[in-house]
């Protein structure tokens, strides 16, 4: 999670919303990402999406079983769907996202019975650090 926080801080330095993510397999980081939809002109360039795309390319597989995604902010619906499609085993996130988070805040997406894959969810890891990054970023924007 500390590496995800470092990536989130880097995103903030670029003027992007400070969210960072790393995908880990067998104790090794296999994908890194930070929010970059503004600079990449890509609305799907959320930290989770970037990290998972990077890992899939590195492994040469669109399925990432037994992996864990660490992300500083509770995922949105797009990223939650991606975790299921990529078969990520576990999600660990920092702070909740009351307006758009779907792990627990707006919906318990990963508990939906129609899903063909279950993601184990753990929230609140280094939540204070994640909240501080976001709060400080938005203070400068307002």
């Amino acid at each position: 999670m500390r590496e995800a926080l470092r990536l989130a801080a880097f995103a903030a330095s670029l003027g992007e919303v400070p969210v960072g993510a790393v995908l880990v397999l067998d104790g090794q980081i296999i994908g890194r990402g930070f929010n970059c939809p503004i600079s990449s002109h890509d609305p799907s360039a959320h930290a989770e999406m970037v990290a998972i795309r990077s890992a899939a390319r590195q492994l040469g597989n669109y399925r990432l079983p037994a992996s864990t995604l660490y992300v500083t902010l509770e995922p949105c619906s797009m990223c939650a769907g991606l975790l299921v499609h990529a078969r990520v085993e576990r999600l660990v996130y920092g702070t909740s996202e009351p307006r758009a988070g779907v792990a627990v805040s707006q919906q318990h997406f990963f508990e939906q019975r129609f899903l063909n894959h279950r993601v184990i969810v753990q929230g609140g890891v280094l939540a204070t650090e994640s909240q501080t990054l976001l709060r400080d970023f938005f203070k400068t924007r307002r």
Side-chain angles (χ1 to χ4, degrees):
M1 185 62 88
R2 295 230 179 263
E3 176 64 6
L5 283 164
R6 188 188 70 72
L7 291 165
F10 181 72
S13 76
L14 298 176
E16 301 277 1
V17 175
V19 180
V22 294
L23 192 70
V24 174
L25 180 65
D26 297 327
Q28 299 294 315
I29 295 175
I30 59 170
R32 290 176 167 81
F34 55 86
N35 266 12
C36 58
I38 298 166
S39 59
S40 67
H41 311 291
D42 178 357
S44 71
H46 291 194
E48 302 95 322
M49 185 77 71
V50 175
I52 290 172
R53 283 178 178 161
S54 171
R57 275 192 301 272
Q58 179 180 322
L59 296 180
N61 194 345
Y62 73 111
R63 300 282 197 227
L64 302 163
S67 64
T68 298
L69 181 75
Y70 294 86
V71 62
T72 58
L73 185 65
E74 178 184 4
C76 70
S77 57
M78 175 183 70
C79 294
L82 174 64
L83 291 171
V84 171
H85 289 296
R87 304 298 193 266
V88 171
E89 181 176 320
R90 188 167 162 242
L91 163 67
V92 179
Y93 68 88
T95 190
S96 61
E97 207 316 19
R99 294 191 319 183
V102 299
V104 296
S105 293
Q106 287 297 323
Q107 172 185 3
H108 291 251
F109 175 79
F110 297 107
E111 296 173 20
Q112 300 303 308
R113 293 165 30 135
F114 66 86
L115 296 174
N116 62 352
H117 173 71
R118 298 285 174 244
V119 177
I120 300 163
V121 177
Q122 178 184 359
V125 176
L126 298 180
T128 302
E129 291 89 336
S130 297
Q131 289 169 346
T132 300
L133 265 174
L134 287 160
R135 188 176 308 121
D136 292 349
F137 176 79
F138 285 111
K139 273 184 189 174
T140 65
R141 305 284 265 181
R142 294 183 176 127

